Amino acid sequence: MTLSWSGMFGRVKDKNAVCAPTELLSRVPFFEGMNRRELSIIEQFLHQREYQKGESIFRQGERGLGMYIIQKGVVAVVSEPDNHELSELKDGDFLGEVALLDDSFRSATVRAKTDCTVFGLFQPDLAALIDRDHRLGLKIIVRIARHVCQ
């Protein structure tokens, strides 16, 4: 089954948004310290999407396809089926990064508590980035692996 995010996510366009994508990326631990060129390359592979309050970003038990970075808004990480809120994430927070390394099942549901703008980076995007710039791709994978191990 071929998956496409073209209907759900759009390429990052608004560089004057609440927090510019490159600035947002630089706050994520495994992108910290990367130079402007590297961040600009990564930005080209991001997808932007708006979520309405109450809408699920992903659901517990679904296959993980990528990670998300919250540009604006608040989301709840919820354990199903009892709907127990495990945590709350907001502007600048990220989630789902393990899905860049494998496609295991999501361990929780993530739902928008407010209207949200998020950026997604998905496995096929990371693979395309690696094809374009091997050194940068390896740098990202190593940093994600270190982060996950911590």
Side-chain angles (χ1 to χ4, degrees):
M1 175 178 171
T2 303
L3 296 171
S4 171
W5 296 279
S6 60
M8 289 184 10
F9 288 85
R11 291 286 179 192
V12 174
K13 294 178 183 143
D14 187 1
K15 295 187 187 273
N16 298 315
V18 175
C19 179
T22 52
E23 182 184 341
L24 191 62
L25 283 171
S26 70
R27 297 178 187 173
V28 174
F30 39 86
F31 299 131
E32 279 179 341
M34 289 191 176
N35 64 44
R36 199 139 202 57
R37 182 194 70 79
E38 292 169 327
L39 293 173
S40 293
I41 290 170
I42 297 165
E43 180 183 345
Q44 294 171 31
F45 293 91
L46 293 180
H47 302 271
Q48 184 177 27
R49 171 138 188 237
E50 306 287 325
Y51 287 92
Q52 301 299 314
K53 179 180 178 179
E55 189 176 0
S56 291
I57 296 171
F58 57 77
R59 293 188 174 281
Q60 184 173 330
E62 293 177 341
R63 289 256 181 225
L65 301 171
M67 71 169 290
Y68 301 86
I69 305 168
I70 304 165
Q71 181 185 36
K72 179 182 176 190
V74 179
V75 304
V77 179
V78 178
S79 175
E80 301 290 351
D82 62 351
N83 224 19
H84 174 71
E85 186 171 314
L86 302 171
S87 66
E88 183 177 279
L89 303 171
K90 60 186 184 323
D91 301 8
D93 289 335
F94 63 95
L95 59 149
E97 65 279 4
V98 173
L100 288 173
L101 303 178
D102 72 12
D103 60 354
S104 59
F105 296 103
R106 298 289 190 183
S107 59
T109 294
V110 175
R111 191 174 299 123
K113 289 183 83 168
T114 65
D115 290 348
C116 296
T117 303
V118 302
F119 292 108
L121 178 66
F122 302 101
Q123 289 175 5
D125 302 313
L126 182 57
L129 188 151
I130 291 167
D131 285 343
R132 177 175 170 180
D133 187 328
H134 299 345
R135 175 179 262 159
L136 178 57
L138 181 59
K139 189 175 187 179
I140 292 168
I141 288 173
V142 167
R143 288 175 172 208
I144 292 170
R146 284 184 187 145
H147 176 77
V148 169
C149 288
Q150 291 175 350

